[in-house]
Amino acid sequence: MDYLALYVTLKLAVVTTVLLMIIAAPIAYVLAYYRFAGKSLLEALIYLPIALPPTVIGFYLIIFMGPKGFIGRIWEMLTGGSLLFTFIGIAIASVIYSIPFAVQPMKAAFSKIDRRLLESAYVLGLSKKATFFRVIIPNSASGIAAAAILVFLHSIGAFGVLLMVGGSIPGETRVASIAIYEAVEMMNYQAAAMMALSFIPISYAFLLLINKLNEARS
Amino acid sequence: MTVEASFKKQLKYFELDISFSCAEENMMVMIGPSGGGKTTIIRMLAGLEKPKEGKIVFGDEVWFDSLHHINVPPQERCLGYVFQDYNLFPHLNLFDNAAFAAVEKKEVGELLEVFKIGHLKKRKPHMVSGGERQRCAICQALARRPRLLLLDEPFSALDAITRRGLREELKSLKDKMSFPIIYVTHDITEALYLADELLPVVEGKMDNQWLQKMINREPSTEAVLRAAREPRLTLVY
């Protein structure tokens, strides 16, 4: 069994989840509370990764993150290295691939909060930022937890995007889903079976947790 | 400190156009039929809504002036605002709710005792009765040491007996407070019981005849017809 690949998978999932919680919160806040021109266009753009085939996302990421791409060139200027085939590269890919799964539940949780609670906080002297941390976040904790779990599970399952952007470098970009695929390709069914099996309890436990959170919310 | 306001705003069915002032140690009761713009007036005082034109002055501070484009945000007006429900934060217990914006945390315990909810301070809002929630909401507003207290039908979601008790407590509380209080209600009994000053508001305008008409029950004007849909409340107290 390829423990290194399992380790990379978990590391990627944790990094993606943490990053996305920080990135998605302000986006969800804006989508939940502000009205502006082009909002629905922006929202659809954020949810686009759900609708696109992973290989299409992977293709564009290669274009942007490659040595001639916009992001790739900035990265090379800063570090002198390439983004493709690195852990940071697949982390960026994973964040973009999972962004809808973070924004959507968070936005739903934020919109559910009664506006009068926010107004009450403003009248009590809290700035918008303080209200976000003292009122909105604690009152949407279960929605945020659901978002985190969804992102975590979704990034464990990523395959096509990561394969295109990161390839399969052991310890760096070879995640478990890729390792399973390669094991099957090499007719090593026993290794594939072990790794495949290790996914089931993790995913199942997290799904149970999501259902519990949803029950608590309603 | 006196609050003086005079403003206009176009609402859906009529134009709100009113001016009034309320001095310190005074409780002004704004009364009138539902949908007459009372809550909008309160929200404009709190800074949650913007008048189309006009001026709000508190003491020597200008809170709103449409000519000079002044609009002080609600955070800086330093007032207390209690509405029918939804004042309390569901994730906090009563103590933390009351202490949410407290100037002096030590005062909070005393306040809760004064309002007879000291024994419930560890409970969350959904675990106590509506009357206890509103008591806590008043504690929350007072703990921030407001310069002006706005009460928008704070007891109207409660049963008659609880409401009467709280009304009496509020009246005795008023005598201890030095800031102006503006109280909104559509209940005439409540208004007459509490008010130092009455401000009848009908369709966004001050209407001094309204109260008289209501008491005489003259079914002559549209305002009365509107009011007839509200529960009639006896003036015998």
Side-chain angles (χ1 to χ4, degrees), chain B residues 110-149:
Chain B
E110 288 167 38
L111 264 172
L112 293 174
E113 289 301 332
V114 170
F115 282 89
K116 300 179 199 131
I117 47 171
H119 59 295
L120 302 170
K121 63 184 177 194
K122 293 262 181 279
R123 301 250 184 116
K124 293 274 179 73
H126 70 271
M127 295 158 78
V128 301
S129 72
E132 287 155 352
R133 272 200 294 274
Q134 289 310 83
R135 285 164 198 269
C136 185
I138 294 174
C139 291
Q140 184 187 59
L142 292 178
R144 95 162 290 215
R145 295 201 189 141
R147 301 185 296 174
L148 165 68
L149 184 59

Side-chain angles (χ1 to χ4, degrees), chain B residues 4-15:
Chain B
E4 283 172 71
S6 123
F7 40 59
K8 287 183 187 174
K9 188 181 176 79
Q10 187 60 47
L11 301 184
K12 205 171 172 191
Y13 298 110
F14 52 84
E15 187 182 43

Side-chain angles (χ1 to χ4, degrees), chain A residues 87-101:
Chain A
F87 181 76
I88 294 168
I90 59 167
I92 294 174
S94 172
V95 162
I96 289 169
Y97 181 54
S98 292
I99 207 164
F101 295 87

Side-chain angles (χ1 to χ4, degrees), chain A residues 122-127, chain B residues 46 58 61-63 71-79 144 147:
Chain A
Y122 298 155
V123 172
L124 287 167
L126 262 69
S127 66
Chain B
F58 182 82
E61 268 175 54
V62 179
W63 280 355
N71 188 15
V72 175
Q75 284 91 341
E76 289 162 33
R77 296 193 184 191
C78 194
L79 40 80
R144 95 162 290 215
R147 301 185 296 174

Side-chain angles (χ1 to χ4, degrees), chain B residues 173-186:
Chain B
L173 172 84
K174 188 194 76 180
D175 300 331
K176 296 179 209 139
M177 299 298 163
S178 58
F179 44 76
I181 303 175
I182 300 180
Y183 189 98
V184 170
T185 183
H186 58 260

